[in-house]
Amino acid sequence: MTTPHPDLRRAERGVALVMALFIALIVSGIALGAILMTSNSKLISRFHVKEAAMTAAADGGLEVGRSTLNGRRGLLPVDGYVTLENDAAVLDAAGAAIPGFRRSTYAARTGNRSGQFGQFASVISEVRDPRGAVAVRRVELTEESFAKYALFVDRWENTNTRFGCGSLLAGPVHINADLLIWSTAQCPPPPVFRGEVTTTGTIREASYGVFEQGYQEQVARIEMPTPAELAQMRSLATLGNMVVPGGTVGTGVTQPEARLEFLVVDLDGDGDADANEGFFRVYRGTTFNNETREWLNADGSPSGPPAASPLRNSLNCGDWAGGKFLAASLHRDADNMLVPGHADYDATLVAHAHAVAVGGNANDNRDASLAQVGNRVCYLGGDPALSGGTFDPESDNGLGAWVEFPGPTPAALTALGRADADYLWPISRALNPNFKGVIYVDGSIAISGAVRGRVTLVTTGNVVQTDDVTYSQQPADCFDELRDVLGVVTPQNFVIADNGINSPTQVDGDWVPGFDETREEFFHGVVLTLGSRMAENPGSGATAAEPCQGLSQGRGCYESLGGVIQRDMQAIGSTSGHGWKGRTTYDVCAGRNPPPYFPTTGVYKRNSYYEIDPVGFDPAEWFDANQPEF
């Protein structure tokens, strides 16, 4: 047996000790690393928890700010910003203060602050803790336009006015009252609501309606604008020479003493309607009496008493002969035909008058002219067709005259040599640089024609639709500058006229339709009235002369593209067939890109959310840098 030298044994023990120490050091390092990693993980976790808590506190401030704006209409100043919270305690869900967190919240108008393209605002929330950590968040808000609604009703006091009889509403509906529906037994078929329906009350007879997007009851009330708010828009119209003299103001006005006709003028001769080719003309009575009003509105009370021919003596309604219009009143009896030397004498017309004569009685001959199928027609006062097809600044019957545009006549019109060049009011900035998109009428006004452009018509009196009002262009893109949009705003009523153009008339006791191009009446635009959208004489006249969508109706379909916002709900037809049957097509683009300066609901909705760099953040500097000039 060999025995190791004592020195060798001592050396082996030293190596073992070193290895043990080395292994212990490694184990200690691993343990220390684990401890450090655990500690670091806790720090990171705490950081993320605090970051999440501060972000949640800032987001809560944004919602507090939005709620404050919705609860206090008109809070935001035109310029600058408001402080909604100033270094305030931050409360948790239970209402207890979160230790160390302080919050400041600011709000202001941002984006285009003029309101011409909608109303926008920003709420900024800044949260700080005692160690200097800061979180700043911003939400951009859009104030809802009343143009978003297919129908808005503030009051519903007449229980005999209800939805039914084939009514169709294709967009959002809000009622600040109970919503009433006829049973299908009383008025089939049932009404169809294709958009969301909300009401502050309940829906009576809801089972008789078709609600494709559902409905909500007992929602919050939405206030309508005041007459004073609407009157503020006059200053915008003044800038663009767009203040129009109207007629007598009164809620009962259905025959205004002035009318406004939209039209398109092809300035460059390319055959289409460019963005700068929208205009309107204004025709006004020279004396305010019944004869003038009937002349201007083509109104002979066509829904008059039975067995009458109310348009026999009309200067606006008659038939065509030899390319010229001959009013019914100018048809004479066999012994009293138009003779040479008379102001209205025309050989062709005289021959025509003889041709349609059915006897020696003048009234019979006049009735015969109104019964000319495919040839009978009515025109509004001042229409060039009533003056032999040429524009006449002053009507030759002395009842009315066209109103000149108070601004400079655009050179593009002068170059065309049009007789009406000085009477065309341009509704584009290209030809009217100070145009703000607003027309303001002092008084009541009748409207008709083809709209080319983006415009809001505001009046102090009634607005009466005497003929179709339609858009010239309707591109699919809601934000296409070529897209037409019309807003009509009145503190009184919007009335669909019962005149020779819109309604069938009686001829020798029979109801005769067809005095317009189509049996339907069309309206493109969004109406806001602090009175009602109503029909003139809704309970009288024909009941089956002009069917609507296969259903019996007196005046046919009233086809609207857009929406109606009204104080009081009024029917435009009856269960007996009188009046019109309403057919509404929702214009989603009017809600997204509303008419210029169209009134808003005061309700702000979230649009976009942003994180702001907190380093050196100052609310005054931020808003000053991000509020463009008017």
Side-chain angles (χ1 to χ4, degrees), residues 338-355:
L338 299 178
V339 296
H342 190 281
D344 297 311
Y345 177 80
D346 183 289
T348 301
L349 298 185
V350 170
H352 170 72
H354 278 293

Side-chain angles (χ1 to χ4, degrees), residues 147-335:
K148 67 168 282 187
Y149 291 105
L151 177 66
F152 180 103
V153 179
D154 189 50
R155 299 184 302 208
W156 199 317
E157 298 179 347
N158 185 356
T159 58
N160 289 324
T161 299
R162 303 185 177 211
F163 286 113
C165 309
S167 300
L168 172 67
L169 289 103
V173 173
H174 177 82
I175 312 294
N176 279 337
D178 290 341
L179 189 156
L180 311 182
I181 297 177
W182 289 113
S183 72
T184 50
Q186 294 170 296
C187 197
V192 176
F193 300 87
R194 291 185 173 168
E196 183 183 15
V197 177
T198 55
T199 171
T200 61
T202 61
I203 299 179
R204 300 189 200 175
E205 310 289 357
S207 62
Y208 293 114
V210 178
F211 299 89
E212 296 182 357
Q213 299 296 323
Y215 61 84
Q216 297 181 59
E217 300 176 312
Q218 307 293 338
V219 303
R221 178 181 175 81
I222 299 174
E223 298 296 337
M224 296 190 73
T226 65
E229 290 174 320
L230 304 186
Q232 293 175 359
M233 298 175 74
R234 192 182 199 279
S235 60
L236 298 168
T238 301
L239 295 173
N241 293 307
M242 287 286 146
V243 177
V244 175
T248 301
V249 175
T251 57
V253 173
T254 59
Q255 293 180 316
E257 294 134 347
R259 73 178 185 91
L260 187 152
E261 176 187 20
F262 292 101
L263 72 161
V264 178
V265 177
D266 189 4
L267 297 173
D268 55 10
D270 62 356
D272 62 10
D274 298 322
N276 66 329
E277 294 180 340
F279 299 85
F280 66 87
R281 294 186 299 211
V282 178
Y283 188 82
R284 198 162 187 262
T286 52
T287 56
F288 293 166
N289 54 40
N290 288 337
E291 184 182 13
T292 296
R293 296 185 188 100
E294 289 192 3
W295 153 257
L296 194 143
N297 296 280
D299 194 346
S301 299
S303 297
S309 297
L311 298 182
R312 280 176 180 169
N313 297 316
S314 173
L315 297 172
N316 308 72
C317 302
D319 59 338
W320 278 82
K324 294 185 179 182
F325 171 77
L326 183 63
S329 61
L330 296 181
H331 286 269
R332 311 302 174 108
D333 58 44
D335 298 325

